[in-house]
Amino acid sequence: MTNLPDDTRAALGALLGSRLSLSDSDRALHGRSETHIPDAPPDAVAYPETTEEVAGIVRICAAAGVPLIGWGVGSSLEGHALAAKGGVTVDFTRMAKVLEVHPEDMVARVQPGITREALNTELRATGLMFPVDPGANATLGGMAATRASGTTAVRYGTMRDNVLGLEAVLADGRVIRTGTAAPKSSAGYDLTGLFVGAEGTLGLITELTLRLHGQPEAISAAVCAFPAMEPAVETVILTIQSGIPMARIEFIDAATVAAFNAQSGAGMPEQPHLMIEFHGSEAGVAEQAARFGEIADEMGAEGFQWAAQAEDRSKLWKMRHEAYHSILRQRPGATAWVTDVCVPISRLAEAVEETRAEIAASSIPGPILGHVGDGNFHAILLTDPGDAREEAEAKRLAANMADRALRLGGTVTGEHGIGLGKLDYMEREHGAGWDVMGEIKRALDPKNLMNPGKMVRQDAG
Amino acid sequence: MTNLPDDTRAALGALLGSRLSLSDSDRALHGRSETHIPDAPPDAVAYPETTEEVAGIVRICAAAGVPLIGWGVGSSLEGHALAAKGGVTVDFTRMAKVLEVHPEDMVARVQPGITREALNTELRATGLMFPVDPGANATLGGMAATRASGTTAVRYGTMRDNVLGLEAVLADGRVIRTGTAAPKSSAGYDLTGLFVGAEGTLGLITELTLRLHGQPEAISAAVCAFPAMEPAVETVILTIQSGIPMARIEFIDAATVAAFNAQSGAGMPEQPHLMIEFHGSEAGVAEQAARFGEIADEMGAEGFQWAAQAEDRSKLWKMRHEAYHSILRQRPGATAWVTDVCVPISRLAEAVEETRAEIAASSIPGPILGHVGDGNFHAILLTDPGDAREEAEAKRLAANMADRALRLGGTVTGEHGIGLGKLDYMEREHGAGWDVMGEIKRALDPKNLMNPGKMVRQDAG
């Protein structure tokens, strides 16, 4: 059943024809998240093909006070794309083209519905790539809206660093273009930066201008084991301080290794590991790998396995990317609570160790892994669905991780965003800054139509 | 004479004692810019020592509707710090401390009044540096407010990329803290990014958390001549595309070289030149320099001079940093119109060549130089003060440069900002996005007290 007013439904139908979907199955599909956040289906799903159609949808909905929620592939982990207040979900599946690639400028203009894998497939022949890699094959629009990052941020930055400009439809149907194709600008407020990470609460992103990077001439990757977590983290700190430019550096704990072994027969020793990758010239990569090897050796690393072949590397990173599902399969039928905190590197060992000890003393499993070059790590807490005691335990552990991150000078989310899952921490992380966010929200979306129920203080609309 | 209301003056005097200055000379000093922008002195100058004092000043001024303008060292080139609507200039000279350095996290907390040279002097022993280098020995607060960059942005990014967080006093005296000391976050709107580049129109920055970088193990710098501008620019494009990580790459035209020769007896051939620098390990730098040399050779570069010694390098960059003053001395008593456009790299040769030809055909001199790795360049137009014909010519050339940058997909300012000099271009660069900036400004500063007369549409307050 949909709550869409009849005239709104008629106007949207006239604009979109069969590209307005009211079916229960489609609504259910767009009301579901990958994690513990409860379902919240929209009243309708719209499939626009142009910015003008998006603006039309927004104007029709705005006239009736109907909320609007953007949708990429639904891989968000905090329920960002759930229709918390009902309304129309705008699914960008049909706006998934690469519009332009400028190899000389290392810039591409894309529609928001393209996935990062599809984009990189299209870029392959240009010698360029878009490096931000959150693991899931997310859309670029979704990645921009949540300020995603992932394994390569330590080298290439997050979406904040790789979106040069964008087009967005505002709450009143106006279309703005931010940024330019020039590499930098100091012309006015950074609206690009404001919309990246705004989780669709200020407008719907309808186009992105992306910074591309050269495909590295040479790549070298390795995995090595450590006797404990601290020397692994210490290795990361020393590597960063030595100025060795890592392209990826991932920490996985013994429980995550156990999941890999169970899933893919990796046969790795069940100890903490680092997985690393270097990008550069042949000589550069060889030098970087050698210097890293020296540091890791000194810290007691063992069983170095270098993957110089593309095939071996892709096996390595596939295993890492599938960690979430491998861990889930360790407890069939379980619900995942994917935490995501980020702390200053100097506090990382402390943050991970306290977290590990607390999970070990709890009643639920929670393997730990993360993008340790950024101080960012996750525990994947597994609960039995419907087991209230376990759910309370997961909530307690997640809340303690967030508190710990704040106490250590960090943030409650390194890359997953706020969505519905982390609103409760905004006051503590931002103080009066959270009110300022609300003031900006009200200035740009006074009727609270764009992804309502998220991001800002809810009592203030 | 000051227009400050008596009770405001009394309240500020009670708060600051002798650190409230009403003297004509001090006001004149804070009402002057380096360039062609006419003087606009404030009614008073305040020298706070703490964030609490800044908040007190703001509350006193807000109660009386008195404008507030931030001041670093006054090296802005677009009149940002001039008191366009009178009011109180807040001079951060007495808030110039390094508060904390965390070498492991490569992060420093500083007050806004510290200059980049003073900061780097304090950092020297840590093995770290703050690389953003706009040439002038500007304050970090001013650099953040104008989103400054300069010679090293091609490698290390701009202020946008190197400010992790900040503290600011808002128009109503509230103090907010944005960002954390963690390397990344996706918790909410990017308020840090909003205040960086806001030119003091949303609040006064009272503290900055900065991303530091390791002092490079090895540095290599060189200068080489090209037969014309195009092959120099082509060399830059090829170097970027080859993924050779330049730390600086500067273009200087024949007229700039002539100024260097006149100023410092550099004895360089009066042709276009590139000045470059590489940072890395000994082996890495040697490889990068060799690969760059091959590309430059192919493009017809001549007379390579490598400066491996620190002394030779500092001579080279001193010459570059003093370009503005060397060029000014080419026409004693002249007024400078320092233009600043940034275009996609693929349009750089075209943008520079059209600009060069137009200046050559004009009645005034205008050497060209720039941070070509970013597509950013400047013409320094020199006019005889009071010569209306020459001033009109400078205005015409500057306006045409801005139009050209927009036509080629770029921005009217790569790094100098808007200030009073570039308000007229905001509509053309941003369209409806400029209105959004005004909406944000009104939400955060409804009485238009923070650096009024700047940044947003003026008819809308």
Side-chain angles (χ1 to χ4, degrees), chain A residues 287-312:
Chain A
E287 191 208 3
Q288 289 154 25
R291 292 175 68 202
F292 173 81
E294 282 167 27
I295 294 171
D297 272 350
E298 262 177 55
M299 301 309 299
E302 297 156 5
F304 255 100
Q305 289 184 43
W306 287 95
Q309 303 301 317
E311 212 172 296
D312 297 331

mmCIF file of all heavy atoms in Angstrom, chain A residues 287-312:
data_model
loop_
_atom_site.group_PDB
_atom_site.id
_atom_site.type_symbol
_atom_site.label_atom_id
_atom_site.label_comp_id
_atom_site.label_asym_id
_atom_site.label_seq_id
_atom_site.Cartn_x
_atom_site.Cartn_y
_atom_site.Cartn_z
ATOM 1 N N GLU A 287 61.584 -0.493 -4.735
ATOM 2 C CA GLU A 287 62.223 0.182 -3.608
ATOM 3 C C GLU A 287 61.266 0.272 -2.412
ATOM 4 O O GLU A 287 61.648 0.021 -1.273
ATOM 5 C CB GLU A 287 62.673 1.590 -4.032
ATOM 6 C CG GLU A 287 63.585 2.250 -3.009
ATOM 7 C CD GLU A 287 63.507 3.772 -3.027
ATOM 8 O OE1 GLU A 287 62.704 4.332 -3.803
ATOM 9 O OE2 GLU A 287 64.235 4.400 -2.235
ATOM 10 N N GLN A 288 60.017 0.645 -2.704
ATOM 11 C CA GLN A 288 59.028 0.781 -1.631
ATOM 12 C C GLN A 288 58.802 -0.553 -0.919
ATOM 13 O O GLN A 288 58.745 -0.619 0.312
ATOM 14 C CB GLN A 288 57.706 1.305 -2.203
ATOM 15 C CG GLN A 288 57.775 2.767 -2.628
ATOM 16 C CD GLN A 288 56.766 3.112 -3.713
ATOM 17 O OE1 GLN A 288 55.740 2.460 -3.838
ATOM 18 N NE2 GLN A 288 57.044 4.146 -4.496
ATOM 19 N N ALA A 289 58.670 -1.602 -1.729
ATOM 20 C CA ALA A 289 58.427 -2.924 -1.148
ATOM 21 C C ALA A 289 59.595 -3.340 -0.266
ATOM 22 O O ALA A 289 59.402 -3.877 0.830
ATOM 23 C CB ALA A 289 58.188 -3.944 -2.256
ATOM 24 N N ALA A 290 60.815 -3.058 -0.735
ATOM 25 C CA ALA A 290 62.000 -3.447 0.038
ATOM 26 C C ALA A 290 62.049 -2.681 1.358
ATOM 27 O O ALA A 290 62.317 -3.261 2.424
ATOM 28 C CB ALA A 290 63.266 -3.179 -0.779
ATOM 29 N N ARG A 291 61.765 -1.365 1.301
ATOM 30 C CA ARG A 291 61.817 -0.575 2.531
ATOM 31 C C ARG A 291 60.729 -1.017 3.507
ATOM 32 O O ARG A 291 60.950 -1.077 4.718
ATOM 33 C CB ARG A 291 61.702 0.916 2.212
ATOM 34 C CG ARG A 291 62.936 1.440 1.462
ATOM 35 C CD ARG A 291 62.770 2.893 1.034
ATOM 36 N NE ARG A 291 62.756 3.793 2.174
ATOM 37 C CZ ARG A 291 62.205 5.018 2.136
ATOM 38 N NH1 ARG A 291 61.594 5.448 1.046
ATOM 39 N NH2 ARG A 291 62.242 5.790 3.201
ATOM 40 N N PHE A 292 59.528 -1.300 2.970
ATOM 41 C CA PHE A 292 58.459 -1.788 3.847
ATOM 42 C C PHE A 292 58.867 -3.112 4.485
ATOM 43 O O PHE A 292 58.663 -3.332 5.682
ATOM 44 C CB PHE A 292 57.151 -1.971 3.064
ATOM 45 C CG PHE A 292 56.074 -2.617 3.886
ATOM 46 C CD1 PHE A 292 55.332 -1.862 4.778
ATOM 47 C CD2 PHE A 292 55.825 -3.982 3.801
ATOM 48 C CE1 PHE A 292 54.356 -2.458 5.571
ATOM 49 C CE2 PHE A 292 54.853 -4.580 4.596
ATOM 50 C CZ PHE A 292 54.115 -3.815 5.471
ATOM 51 N N GLY A 293 59.448 -3.999 3.655
ATOM 52 C CA GLY A 293 59.871 -5.307 4.154
ATOM 53 C C GLY A 293 60.830 -5.185 5.326
ATOM 54 O O GLY A 293 60.722 -5.912 6.323
ATOM 55 N N GLU A 294 61.749 -4.214 5.236
ATOM 56 C CA GLU A 294 62.707 -4.013 6.333
ATOM 57 C C GLU A 294 62.003 -3.617 7.627
ATOM 58 O O GLU A 294 62.295 -4.142 8.706
ATOM 59 C CB GLU A 294 63.709 -2.907 5.968
ATOM 60 C CG GLU A 294 64.801 -3.364 5.019
ATOM 61 C CD GLU A 294 65.570 -2.175 4.432
ATOM 62 O OE1 GLU A 294 65.629 -1.114 5.096
ATOM 63 O OE2 GLU A 294 66.081 -2.301 3.297
ATOM 64 N N ILE A 295 61.071 -2.677 7.499
ATOM 65 C CA ILE A 295 60.340 -2.220 8.685
ATOM 66 C C ILE A 295 59.536 -3.374 9.281
ATOM 67 O O ILE A 295 59.578 -3.623 10.495
ATOM 68 C CB ILE A 295 59.401 -1.042 8.334
ATOM 69 C CG1 ILE A 295 60.231 0.187 7.932
ATOM 70 C CG2 ILE A 295 58.464 -0.706 9.492
ATOM 71 C CD1 ILE A 295 59.414 1.334 7.364
ATOM 72 N N ALA A 296 58.807 -4.090 8.420
ATOM 73 C CA ALA A 296 57.956 -5.185 8.901
ATOM 74 C C ALA A 296 58.796 -6.278 9.556
ATOM 75 O O ALA A 296 58.433 -6.803 10.623
ATOM 76 C CB ALA A 296 57.125 -5.745 7.750
ATOM 77 N N ASP A 297 59.936 -6.591 8.945
ATOM 78 C CA ASP A 297 60.848 -7.595 9.520
ATOM 79 C C ASP A 297 61.251 -7.215 10.935
ATOM 80 O O ASP A 297 61.220 -8.034 11.857
ATOM 81 C CB ASP A 297 62.133 -7.694 8.666
ATOM 82 C CG ASP A 297 61.978 -8.691 7.530
ATOM 83 O OD1 ASP A 297 60.960 -9.428 7.528
ATOM 84 O OD2 ASP A 297 62.847 -8.710 6.639
ATOM 85 N N GLU A 298 61.658 -5.957 11.077
ATOM 86 C CA GLU A 298 62.073 -5.473 12.393
ATOM 87 C C GLU A 298 60.965 -5.612 13.422
ATOM 88 O O GLU A 298 61.226 -5.805 14.607
ATOM 89 C CB GLU A 298 62.471 -3.997 12.309
ATOM 90 C CG GLU A 298 63.958 -3.780 12.201
ATOM 91 C CD GLU A 298 64.273 -2.306 12.041
ATOM 92 O OE1 GLU A 298 63.839 -1.494 12.881
ATOM 93 O OE2 GLU A 298 64.937 -1.956 11.028
ATOM 94 N N MET A 299 59.716 -5.471 12.966
ATOM 95 C CA MET A 299 58.581 -5.566 13.885
ATOM 96 C C MET A 299 58.112 -7.017 14.051
ATOM 97 O O MET A 299 57.083 -7.258 14.673
ATOM 98 C CB MET A 299 57.425 -4.692 13.408
ATOM 99 C CG MET A 299 57.753 -3.217 13.263
ATOM 100 S SD MET A 299 58.547 -2.467 14.729
ATOM 101 C CE MET A 299 57.271 -2.734 15.943
ATOM 102 N N GLY A 300 58.850 -7.949 13.452
ATOM 103 C CA GLY A 300 58.548 -9.361 13.704
ATOM 104 C C GLY A 300 57.591 -10.003 12.714
ATOM 105 O O GLY A 300 57.006 -11.055 13.002
ATOM 106 N N ALA A 301 57.409 -9.381 11.545
ATOM 107 C CA ALA A 301 56.515 -9.974 10.544
ATOM 108 C C ALA A 301 57.083 -11.283 10.037
ATOM 109 O O ALA A 301 58.307 -11.484 10.003
ATOM 110 C CB ALA A 301 56.325 -9.010 9.375
ATOM 111 N N GLU A 302 56.158 -12.194 9.680
ATOM 112 C CA GLU A 302 56.572 -13.508 9.194
ATOM 113 C C GLU A 302 55.779 -13.884 7.953
ATOM 114 O O GLU A 302 54.698 -13.349 7.719
ATOM 115 C CB GLU A 302 56.260 -14.580 10.253
ATOM 116 C CG GLU A 302 57.002 -14.417 11.553
ATOM 117 C CD GLU A 302 56.244 -15.111 12.686
ATOM 118 O OE1 GLU A 302 55.220 -15.768 12.409
ATOM 119 O OE2 GLU A 302 56.679 -14.964 13.834
ATOM 120 N N GLY A 303 56.325 -14.860 7.234
ATOM 121 C CA GLY A 303 55.576 -15.503 6.157
ATOM 122 C C GLY A 303 55.144 -14.557 5.058
ATOM 123 O O GLY A 303 54.034 -14.657 4.532
ATOM 124 N N PHE A 304 56.014 -13.586 4.720
ATOM 125 C CA PHE A 304 55.732 -12.665 3.622
ATOM 126 C C PHE A 304 55.362 -13.409 2.354
ATOM 127 O O PHE A 304 56.081 -14.291 1.908
ATOM 128 C CB PHE A 304 56.998 -11.856 3.305
ATOM 129 C CG PHE A 304 56.924 -10.460 3.806
ATOM 130 C CD1 PHE A 304 57.553 -10.106 4.988
ATOM 131 C CD2 PHE A 304 56.219 -9.503 3.085
ATOM 132 C CE1 PHE A 304 57.480 -8.811 5.455
ATOM 133 C CE2 PHE A 304 56.149 -8.207 3.552
ATOM 134 C CZ PHE A 304 56.780 -7.851 4.737
ATOM 135 N N GLN A 305 54.231 -13.071 1.764
ATOM 136 C CA GLN A 305 53.910 -13.613 0.444
ATOM 137 C C GLN A 305 53.713 -12.459 -0.504
ATOM 138 O O GLN A 305 52.738 -11.718 -0.375
ATOM 139 C CB GLN A 305 52.623 -14.432 0.500
ATOM 140 C CG GLN A 305 52.781 -15.737 1.238
ATOM 141 C CD GLN A 305 51.486 -16.523 1.156
ATOM 142 O OE1 GLN A 305 50.868 -16.591 0.101
ATOM 143 N NE2 GLN A 305 51.081 -17.081 2.274
ATOM 144 N N TRP A 306 54.622 -12.285 -1.439
ATOM 145 C CA TRP A 306 54.498 -11.213 -2.423
ATOM 146 C C TRP A 306 53.674 -11.702 -3.602
ATOM 147 O O TRP A 306 53.862 -12.800 -4.090
ATOM 148 C CB TRP A 306 55.873 -10.740 -2.906
ATOM 149 C CG TRP A 306 56.551 -9.948 -1.837
ATOM 150 C CD1 TRP A 306 57.449 -10.422 -0.932
ATOM 151 C CD2 TRP A 306 56.334 -8.577 -1.521
ATOM 152 N NE1 TRP A 306 57.825 -9.423 -0.059
ATOM 153 C CE2 TRP A 306 57.156 -8.280 -0.401
ATOM 154 C CE3 TRP A 306 55.530 -7.566 -2.052
ATOM 155 C CZ2 TRP A 306 57.202 -7.014 0.175
ATOM 156 C CZ3 TRP A 306 55.570 -6.307 -1.479
ATOM 157 C CH2 TRP A 306 56.396 -6.042 -0.375
ATOM 158 N N ALA A 307 52.756 -10.867 -4.046
ATOM 159 C CA ALA A 307 51.913 -11.200 -5.191
ATOM 160 C C ALA A 307 52.242 -10.229 -6.314
ATOM 161 O O ALA A 307 51.650 -9.156 -6.408
ATOM 162 C CB ALA A 307 50.443 -11.111 -4.805
ATOM 163 N N ALA A 308 53.215 -10.567 -7.121
ATOM 164 C CA ALA A 308 53.616 -9.674 -8.201
ATOM 165 C C ALA A 308 52.700 -9.845 -9.412
ATOM 166 O O ALA A 308 52.484 -8.909 -10.177
ATOM 167 C CB ALA A 308 55.074 -9.933 -8.587
ATOM 168 N N GLN A 309 52.124 -11.034 -9.562
ATOM 169 C CA GLN A 309 51.220 -11.292 -10.694
ATOM 170 C C GLN A 309 49.838 -10.703 -10.431
ATOM 171 O O GLN A 309 49.323 -10.786 -9.322
ATOM 172 C CB GLN A 309 51.063 -12.807 -10.915
ATOM 173 C CG GLN A 309 52.373 -13.546 -11.149
ATOM 174 C CD GLN A 309 53.117 -13.004 -12.352
ATOM 175 O OE1 GLN A 309 52.518 -12.746 -13.387
ATOM 176 N NE2 GLN A 309 54.423 -12.788 -12.209
ATOM 177 N N ALA A 310 49.252 -10.161 -11.493
ATOM 178 C CA ALA A 310 47.923 -9.551 -11.385
ATOM 179 C C ALA A 310 46.918 -10.548 -10.810
ATOM 180 O O ALA A 310 46.068 -10.202 -9.978
ATOM 181 C CB ALA A 310 47.457 -9.050 -12.745
ATOM 182 N N GLU A 311 47.024 -11.775 -11.238
ATOM 183 C CA GLU A 311 46.102 -12.822 -10.807
ATOM 184 C C GLU A 311 46.159 -13.051 -9.293
ATOM 185 O O GLU A 311 45.133 -13.133 -8.622
ATOM 186 C CB GLU A 311 46.571 -14.108 -11.499
ATOM 187 C CG GLU A 311 45.536 -15.100 -11.865
ATOM 188 C CD GLU A 311 46.215 -16.177 -12.712
ATOM 189 O OE1 GLU A 311 46.708 -15.823 -13.833
ATOM 190 O OE2 GLU A 311 46.323 -17.321 -12.238
ATOM 191 N N ASP A 312 47.379 -13.143 -8.772
ATOM 192 C CA ASP A 312 47.548 -13.369 -7.339
ATOM 193 C C ASP A 312 47.036 -12.167 -6.544
ATOM 194 O O ASP A 312 46.433 -12.311 -5.490
ATOM 195 C CB ASP A 312 49.034 -13.601 -7.008
ATOM 196 C CG ASP A 312 49.570 -14.848 -7.697
ATOM 197 O OD1 ASP A 312 48.764 -15.770 -7.926
ATOM 198 O OD2 ASP A 312 50.771 -14.883 -8.011
#
